[in-house]
Amino acid sequence: ELRFEPEKGFETLIEYPDKKGGALVSGAIDIVRHDDPPRVTLIDFKSGDPASDNHKKLDAEEMKMQIAIYALAAKKELEYEPEAGLVRYLGGERTEMRELHVPLNKHHLEAAQVKVSETIAEIRARKFKAGPHTDKPKCPHCDFFGICGQKC
């Protein structure tokens, strides 16, 4: 019997590279498909709706990272064994691509863990992209305005 779990929430600690603390990452997996419990497939839906991630133009690597973070949490906190990840497109700009398969093997999950922990460490050290690259002043429109500390 195939079972689905919608909007499965999670919180997981991603340790810093130096193992001296970490950051709590939380979110919700759109669908957890219980293929052969505890083995599961993690599914994320994208649409062309302006409020969606697709509108933000996440590239394939960013979407794979999102699913990998879900898999790390599913494995550590939910005690699942994520075997596969899928991003399914529901329309909008990416109608030519309906599905993106995301590998969730040990190698990919370890690489994601390292990338996330390094990114967290860089943010803590205030080393990150300071918003969009345009000819307009960046600071008033920057996503990181509240945490950056740069004088505009």
Side-chain angles (χ1 to χ4, degrees):
E1 176 182 326
L2 194 56
R3 191 169 61 90
F4 296 89
E5 234 179 320
E7 291 296 320
K8 182 66 176 175
F10 67 86
E11 286 187 337
T12 190
L13 183 69
I14 303 288
E15 291 187 42
Y16 298 138
D18 62 7
K19 304 291 185 206
K20 295 180 180 176
L24 187 64
V25 177
S26 63
I29 303 165
D30 285 351
I31 297 283
V32 176
R33 186 179 72 200
H34 294 262
D35 301 317
D36 184 17
R39 294 192 309 255
V40 297
T41 296
L42 307 177
I43 304 170
D44 189 58
F45 294 101
K46 303 292 182 198
S47 73
D49 184 298
S52 75
D53 292 335
N54 189 26
H55 182 72
K56 296 175 189 171
K57 304 208 183 316
L58 295 178
D59 65 24
E61 290 308 308
E62 291 168 319
M63 287 186 275
K64 286 179 181 180
M65 179 61 67
Q66 179 182 357
I67 297 293
I69 292 169
Y70 291 172
L72 291 168
K75 193 174 182 101
K76 183 177 175 185
E77 308 303 332
L78 306 174
E79 298 181 359
Y80 294 146
E81 294 176 20
E83 287 192 320
L86 297 171
V87 177
R88 291 204 171 137
Y89 302 97
L90 302 175
E93 299 170 18
R94 295 184 184 235
T95 53
E96 75 284 353
M97 187 163 89
R98 301 314 258 165
E99 195 169 81
L100 173 67
H101 292 267
V102 181
L104 297 179
N105 59 39
K106 183 179 178 182
H107 169 75
H108 285 95
L109 292 182
E110 286 174 355
Q113 172 85 30
V114 168
K115 176 73 174 164
V116 171
S117 66
E118 287 174 350
T119 301
I120 291 167
E122 288 175 0
I123 291 170
R124 288 183 71 225
R126 297 189 173 278
K127 296 178 184 175
F128 48 83
K129 289 190 288 185
H133 298 283
T134 67
D135 294 333
K136 297 178 184 176
K138 295 178 187 178
C139 291
H141 307 286
C142 179
D143 292 340
F144 301 108
F145 182 70
I147 62 171
C148 175
Q150 181 170 329
K151 305 295 182 237
C152 297

